[in-house]
């Protein structure tokens, strides 16, 4: 039987680090990554014959769990008509209708093939619309591997300790101003001193790539007002939170409406899809209407549209958000009380189906605090859980995801495993 270890040895000879995305390599938690043979519902089945309760959910897309029959059927039905046409197709219109219906900021939308393409295109569009060059991002936020956004980035870049990637020319990075999240003064001071130079502010409204950080009261409202006052395009990167924290994402939960929104993950139903959308006035600057070029051979691919449409329709029908919030609260409060009983300092920020584990005394409201939490404790906790059949994201700079396929039995087993893992801490 080919094991994960043997597959990984072979993969490392052919693929840099043996993986097609760095965070999968277990470099921060240590050990050998398992290879997945099959995924179904809330479980992964590894090449080593192990079954795991999955809290990564392929980094967000699998909100219905893996291999949902309705999504599988939608893909099969689309497949019977071919795989890619390179012409406009009816599924693209249906997907656009759904996104415009569900996401408050979106009057027009353009499909692409990843979250990275979505944020990259939104930034270019904002620059083309404003004729300004500089952008503001926030330390610890990750917006995909876009050159101008791989500056103090989170997720895999931070996990590997290089939040400022090699290969990004200083001239590119110089157009990006990095500010601390949850600090409105930093934004207002910067805008006041760089008048008319800032094209956009891009933000994960709830940063989830340096662990999960929640906005302080008034912060997002303040960003919105400052952008309006200075004519700066406000971009919400909802690649992760979109459709996960509500049908309309954070902007629906908070009523704070950005000018542009980057989307991905859930709208692909597990296939490669990204999208960006927003005010018609801005979106009409895109080719072929306007001067901002953006394109993609497989953008709006019919199979991916079929999977994404099925995923969104399932969400509209199931509206799983109360259930996901309840499970999220049960897991967070459960592990917190266990840690308290054992005198282990732990923070568990949680919203809806998203939560993370910061081992440390203080509440984490900024990237710098996330960096100083106890990563060794997290890594030990991660492996103790994995040994018992529980798969958390393999980095303390990621966020756990709950799916609508997670059962009461999964939750009770999860809490038992959390209890065991904390019990191994001396
Ligand atoms: P992709 O290009 O990976 O589809 O999306 C990039 C992206 C953009 N914006 C946000 C808020 C994101 O979280 C992401 C990607 N998320 C990571 C997980 N933290 C993907 C996992 C990986 O890189 O393998």
């Amino acid at each position: 039987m080919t094991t994960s270890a043997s597959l990984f040895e072979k993969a490392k000879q052919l693929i840099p680090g043996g993986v097609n995305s760095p965070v999968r390599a277990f470099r921060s938690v240590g050990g050998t990554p398992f290879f997945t043979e099959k995924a179904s519902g809330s479980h992964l089945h590894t090449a080593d014959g192990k079954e795991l309760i999955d809290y990564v959910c392929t980094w967000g897309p699998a909100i219905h769990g893996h291999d949902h029959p309705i999504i599988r059927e939608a893909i099969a039905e689309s497949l019977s008509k071919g795989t890619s046409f390179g012409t406009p197709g009816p599924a693209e219109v249906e997907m656009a209708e759904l996104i415009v219906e569900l996401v408050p900021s979106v009057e027009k939308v353009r499909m692409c093939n990843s979250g990275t393409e979505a944020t990259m295109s939104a930034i270019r569009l904002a620059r083309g619309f404003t004729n300004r060059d500089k952008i503001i991002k926030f330390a610890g936020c990750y917006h995909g591997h876009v050159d101008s956004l791989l500056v103090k980035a989170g997720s895999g870049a931070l996990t590997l300790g290089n939040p400022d990637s090699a290969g990004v020319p200083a001239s590119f990075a110089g157009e990006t101003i990095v500010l601390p999240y949850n600090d409105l003064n930093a934004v207002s001071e910067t805008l006041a001193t760089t008048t008319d130079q800032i094209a956009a502010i891009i933000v994960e409204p709830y940063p989830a790539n340096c662990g999960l950080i929640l906005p302080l009261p008034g912060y997002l409202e303040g960003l919105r007002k400052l952008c309006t006052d200075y004519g700066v395009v406000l971009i919400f990167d909802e690649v992760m939170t979109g459709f996960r924290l509500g049908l309309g994402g954070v902007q629906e939960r908070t009523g704070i409406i950005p000018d542009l929104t980057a989307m991905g993950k859930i709208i692909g139903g597990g296939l490669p899809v990204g999208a960006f959308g927003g005010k018609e006035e801005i979106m009409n600057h895109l080719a072929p209407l306007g001067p901002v070029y953006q394109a993609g051979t497989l953008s709006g691919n019919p199979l991916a549209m079929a999977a994404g449409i099925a995923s969104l329709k399932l969400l509209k029908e199931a509206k799983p958000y109360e259930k996901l919030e309840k499970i999220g609260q049960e897991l967070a409060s459960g592990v917190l009380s266990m840690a308290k009983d054992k005198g282990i300092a732990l923070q568990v920020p949680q919203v809806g189906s998203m939560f993370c584990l910061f081992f440390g005394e203080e509440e984490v409201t900024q990237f710098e605090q996330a960096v100083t939490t106890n990563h060794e404790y997290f890594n030990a906790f991660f492996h103790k859980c994995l040994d018992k059949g529980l798969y958390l994201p393999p980095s303390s700079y990621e966020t756990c995801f709950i799916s609508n396929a997670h059962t009461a039995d999964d939750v009770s087993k999860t809490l038992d495993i959390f209890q065991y893992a904390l019990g191994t801490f001396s």
Side-chain angles (χ1 to χ4, degrees):
M1 174 174 112
T2 45
T3 62
S4 295
S6 61
L7 282 164
F8 193 45
E9 283 315 307
K10 185 160 185 192
K12 283 191 288 188
Q13 294 160 21
L14 302 162
I15 307 167
V19 291
N20 284 309
S21 197
V23 74
R24 303 177 192 170
F26 279 26
R27 296 295 284 254
S28 75
V29 292
T32 299
F34 61 84
F35 282 54
T36 299
E37 289 279 354
K38 182 176 87 120
S40 172
S42 55
H43 290 201
L44 299 178
H45 300 264
T46 76
D48 312 304
K50 283 188 75 172
E51 185 168 350
L52 306 172
I53 304 173
D54 177 22
Y55 284 98
V56 179
C57 295
T58 179
W59 302 100
I63 193 166
H64 303 293
H66 296 287
D67 194 26
H68 192 287
I70 289 178
I71 295 175
R72 190 175 62 239
E73 278 311 304
I75 295 170
E77 205 274 328
S78 178
L79 183 59
S80 68
K81 301 174 192 162
T83 54
S84 176
F85 312 135
T87 70
E92 293 160 83
V93 180
E94 189 175 2
M95 172 63 93
E97 275 177 326
L98 276 167
I99 293 175
V100 168
E101 174 199 342
L102 297 176
V103 186
S105 62
V106 178
E107 296 171 349
K108 278 194 173 176
V109 62
R110 171 65 61 84
M111 304 310 298
C112 53
N113 301 284
S114 69
T116 295
E117 276 189 53
T119 58
M120 174 182 72
S121 308
I123 292 286
R124 183 181 314 130
L125 178 57
R127 284 172 161 154
F129 175 68
T130 59
N131 287 317
R132 299 175 184 175
D133 293 341
K134 291 197 183 303
I135 56 172
I136 291 174
K137 79 172 288 282
F138 299 95
C141 285
Y142 177 71
H143 304 288
H145 59 96
V146 191
D147 277 352
S148 56
L149 296 173
L150 272 181
V151 185
K152 273 266 182 294
S155 186
L158 184 59
T159 296
L160 299 177
N162 53 359
D164 307 299
S165 173
V168 176
S171 58
F172 282 32
E175 298 298 337
T176 303
I177 297 168
V178 184
L179 298 177
Y181 181 78
N182 267 334
D183 178 347
L184 268 185
N185 288 335
V187 181
S188 53
E189 284 159 15
T190 302
L191 291 177
T193 54
T194 57
T195 312
D196 298 340
Q197 294 175 47
I198 310 290
I201 289 180
I202 185 166
V203 65
E204 290 181 69
Y206 294 179
N209 283 290
C210 47
L212 177 60
I213 294 179
L214 298 177
L216 294 173
Y219 179 69
L220 294 176
E221 294 82 348
L223 280 187
R224 175 64 278 174
K225 182 172 185 323
L226 285 166
C227 285
T228 303
D229 293 349
Y230 283 89
V232 170
V233 175
L234 178 59
I235 303 171
F236 272 10
D237 178 351
E238 294 222 51
V239 168
M240 205 185 258
T241 55
F243 313 97
R244 172 163 285 280
L245 294 182
L247 277 172
V250 169
Q251 53 197 270
E252 180 191 63
R253 280 178 91 94
T254 60
I256 298 160
I257 312 302
D259 300 305
L260 293 177
T261 302
M263 295 160 276
K265 295 184 192 279
I266 285 173
I267 56 171
L271 297 192
V273 177
F276 60 104
K279 285 180 178 159
E280 182 170 2
E281 177 197 9
I282 302 176
M283 294 299 289
N284 283 347
H285 279 68
L286 273 178
L289 288 183
V292 179
Y293 195 70
Q294 185 276 341
T297 302
L298 294 172
S299 296
N301 172 270
L303 292 185
M305 293 299 99
I309 288 164
S311 181
L312 294 185
K313 284 183 171 175
L314 272 170
L315 284 173
K316 281 181 70 179
E317 196 182 304
K319 289 195 178 55
Y321 301 105
E322 265 182 50
K323 171 192 166 183
L324 294 170
E325 178 66 48
K326 185 174 166 296
I327 297 177
Q329 288 179 9
E330 193 177 343
L331 291 175
S333 57
V335 72
L336 269 173
S337 64
M338 292 172 199
K340 192 161 182 282
D341 293 349
K342 294 176 182 347
I344 297 169
L346 180 68
Q347 308 290 322
V348 185
Q350 172 266 333
V351 57
S353 59
M354 298 170 70
F355 67 96
C356 89
L357 299 144
F358 285 125
F359 285 92
E361 298 285 352
E362 62 172 350
E363 186 194 0
V364 176
T365 60
Q366 285 191 335
F367 160 74
E368 289 70 19
Q369 294 166 306
V371 171
T372 58
T373 57
N374 190 323
H375 304 289
E376 290 67 41
Y377 267 37
F378 175 85
N379 296 346
F381 186 82
F382 169 85
H383 279 291
K384 292 295 179 193
C385 289
L386 187 59
D387 293 347
K388 292 290 181 187
L390 191 60
Y391 178 45
L392 302 175
S395 163
S396 46
Y397 295 120
E398 296 290 350
T399 294
C400 298
F401 296 108
I402 301 160
S403 84
N404 198 23
H406 280 77
T407 63
D409 185 51
D410 287 328
V411 173
S412 124
K413 281 197 179 103
T414 300
L415 289 169
D416 290 346
I417 294 169
F418 281 169
Q419 179 86 348
Y420 158 77
L422 288 171
T424 62
F425 283 43
S426 51

